[in-house]
Amino acid sequence: MLTRFRYPLAAFAAMLLTLLGLPAEAATAPGPGNDVSWPQCGKALPKGQTFGIVGVNNGTANTTNPCLAAELSWAGSSTGATAQPKVALYVNTANPGSAGSWWPTSNSYGGTTVSNPYGQCTSGSFGAACSYMYGYAKAYDDANIRGVSSPGSYVWWLDVETGNSWSADKDANRADLEGMVAYFASIGAMTGIYSTTSQWSQIAGTTPSSSPLYTARSWLAGASSLTSAKRMCAAAPLTGGGKVTLTQYASRGFDYDYSCV
């Protein structure tokens, strides 16, 4: 019978975790989530995740993750138990200008004339107005042609990193991301920013309070362990009016995500 144990089960579990070198709170606290994308195609995926975040693209903003459907199914098996949605998405972002395979020449996309806060986008222009339209267009594509059903029901994280193509004009880069936020908002979807402090600063600079990015939630990458990821929850968000709600760390060949809320 249970009463024959010398220690209560909770204490025994905590002692066992200590012997294994794991934090005692792991006995009761919800476990982390995981994020996966095209690099995990054809590979074993994590198991027992409390939530799953799936990359929609194949490494660049104008592509589709070939394993999106399978990875969305995997994310749907998440156990829950945190304030994070069981399934969320992230998308690659960029602002390539003339280096891109496509660049907008007007304020129209997807059969819609877009209200552009930066004015009229015209052919051959690579400033804020056309950058806004590029971001809007990429978000439209992510929601409509990648194979995501009910796109308005997801949280969409904007993956902002220096590995993709960006303008030297930080104002234009912010406009690009604002265009993405605007499209996702138009379908009722929530968004957040996924980056590191250094990469965000290099690409987007300081976000003014007038920007819709100012209050965006932050998903901070770069932690070295679960303990480090927990501490990172207290770090400054990527934008002055935002909040750190997720942090990421790598372990045993997988990306793990700790919920700060």
Side-chain angles (χ1 to χ4, degrees):
M1 297 176 63
L2 295 179
T3 54
R4 293 181 182 178
F5 281 94
R6 181 177 178 184
Y7 300 106
L9 285 180
F12 180 79
M15 180 178 69
L16 180 60
L17 288 166
T18 300
L19 291 173
L20 292 173
L22 299 172
E25 61 267 26
T28 56
N34 293 96
D35 60 272
V36 301
S37 191
W38 60 272
Q40 285 73 46
C41 279
K43 299 179 181 179
L45 299 178
K47 296 180 180 179
Q49 73 283 353
T50 53
F51 56 93
I53 310 176
V54 178
V56 171
N57 308 112
N58 195 36
T60 58
N62 60 345
T63 59
T64 303
N65 174 3
C67 295
L68 179 59
E71 291 177 351
L72 282 172
S73 178
W74 161 84
S77 71
S78 301
T79 63
T82 74
Q84 303 297 332
K86 287 177 64 174
V87 183
L89 305 172
Y90 77 88
V91 293
N92 289 107
T93 63
N95 190 27
S98 61
S101 59
W102 174 84
W103 188 253
T105 58
S106 73
N107 282 355
S108 296
Y109 195 78
T112 298
T113 298
V114 179
S115 177
N116 191 330
Y118 295 99
Q120 184 65 40
C121 170
T122 57
S123 179
S125 174
F126 302 102
C130 287
S131 295
Y132 185 92
M133 286 305 303
Y134 182 83
Y136 181 98
K138 294 303 102 181
Y140 177 97
D141 290 350
D142 290 332
N144 290 283
I145 69 171
R146 308 282 181 221
V148 177
S149 299
S150 303
S153 66
Y154 291 100
V155 173
W156 294 75
W157 292 95
L158 311 184
D159 181 4
V160 181
E161 53 184 284
T162 54
N164 287 318
S165 299
W166 294 97
S167 170
D169 182 349
K170 295 179 181 180
D171 291 343
N173 292 337
R174 286 197 306 272
D176 168 272
L177 298 169
E178 289 170 1
M180 298 192 79
V181 169
Y183 177 76
F184 287 128
S186 76
I187 61 171
M190 295 185 290
T191 52
I193 303 167
Y194 167 36
S195 192
T196 64
T197 300
S198 60
Q199 290 184 96
W200 178 257
S201 177
Q202 183 175 338
I203 292 166
T206 301
T207 305
S209 59
S210 58
S211 170
L213 301 171
Y214 186 73
T215 57
R217 66 196 70 191
S218 294
W219 173 13
L220 297 183
S224 58
S225 65
L226 174 58
T227 299
S228 173
K230 290 179 177 180
R231 286 198 299 263
M232 196 179 285
C233 288
L238 296 167
T239 58
K243 180 179 180 180
V244 179
T245 62
L246 275 177
T247 58
Q248 182 192 64
Y249 65 102
S251 177
R252 296 172 293 177
F254 295 122
D255 284 341
Y256 287 86
D257 302 294
Y258 179 74
S259 176
C260 301
V261 295

